[in-house]
Amino acid sequence: MKAMILAAGKGTRVRPLTYDLPKPMIPILGKPVMAYLVEFLASYGVRDIMVNVSYLHQKIEEYFGDGSQFGVQIGYSFEGYINESGEVIPEPLGSAGGIKKIQEFANFFDDTTIVICGDALIDLDLTSALFEHKQKGAMVSVITKEVPWDKVDSYGVVVTDPDGRIKSFQEKPKQEDALSNFASTGIYIFEPEAIDLIPVGTMFDIGSDLFPLMAEKGLPFYAQQRFFNWIDIGTVTDYWSVLQSVLLGEVAQLEVPGTQIADGVWVGLNTSIDWEGTTIRGPVYIGAGCLIESGCTIIGPTWIGHGSHICTGSEVVRSVLFEYTRILPDAYLEEMVVVKEYSVNRAGDLLQLPESGKHEWGDARDKPPEMEPEVQAELHSASQSKPPQATHPKNRAETTAALPLGVS
């Protein structure tokens, strides 16, 4: 068996996370979502994986390389061109068109192939799915899950007969037009004959073009209804929800990294926390090389990326901070995702730093903001009246320290 990971899209619904990051590289517990997929495939003995890439393709290629660190072989098919100015222009061919390009080039798909969208976490029983696929003599099998009716416009939905044969396929229908609420999970099992139906050199999509064609022709095209974890990162709100669920321990087989220093509190290497007046209520992960100043409040589920700086008096509540985020003194963030100069709240409202009025966050790699002279004097006076923090274990903790009294 071989595999194809679809990774050429721009991920427009997940902006600003994808302004300078391809969607398959969005991190979950500090690791790209696509890395979980590669590990999943490797666990079932899949060793040959092709990936179609386009938007910010180099970031995927640089991270995964030839796949040897995962025990697999990974090949890439770039979709785009370089213009007269030497600029790389992404030009995706559609999910099916990308597969056809690979097949035309060197006939890679000469065996049963699992095709997976590169932006979801799954724990499908692949052995069982393959058995059903072969038993029914399917040309293509679509792995489906039931979704709420008010969510059908986010998915391709299938209508089947009692044997599971797909009679029609609707790509993201309006709720009033939907004939089913069984959604395609973006996990497909293909036989090589299905790829013969895809035209050469044409923008062609699996859900919008190939599947309706197969249903119309009455080909052996089946849906499988399976019970498994399928966590799709469709929007920024979805991403926020995923991190909340992961930190709460609601997603099996995903463990928070770092060292646990308190109940529900994990930290990475070389992270410094000043516990004077600080409250941290888990589940919270604080990445490597972070600085948490005194008087902070951090309420979980919260993920703080490596190299971040939480300044005195600030509060971070149920939020996700990407790496190198500085939360400024006395700032208050609740249910936010912060990535570089952007923040997005739970409702999906986007804010960029120049538009934000009072700045509450910034880049931790920038020079820290200047403090008012009276604040500097107060801090200097306090530092003269007590031992330096580095030698005051009750007020300062690093990743190897014992549980401080201020943790709750």
Side-chain angles (χ1 to χ4, degrees), residues 3 9 12 117 136 138 233 255 266 323 361:
T12 53
C117 294
K136 290 185 174 180
I233 305 174
E255 296 183 356
W266 292 264
E323 65 275 8
W361 79 95

Side-chain angles (χ1 to χ4, degrees), residues 226-258:
R226 297 205 161 270
F227 298 98
F228 67 104
N229 284 318
W230 170 53
I231 303 174
D232 176 43
I233 305 174
T235 65
V236 174
T237 299
D238 292 338
Y239 178 69
W240 179 86
S241 298
V242 167
L243 263 296
Q244 297 288 297
S245 297
V246 167
L247 289 168
L248 286 168
E250 297 173 352
V251 181
Q253 300 175 341
L254 288 183
E255 296 183 356
V256 180

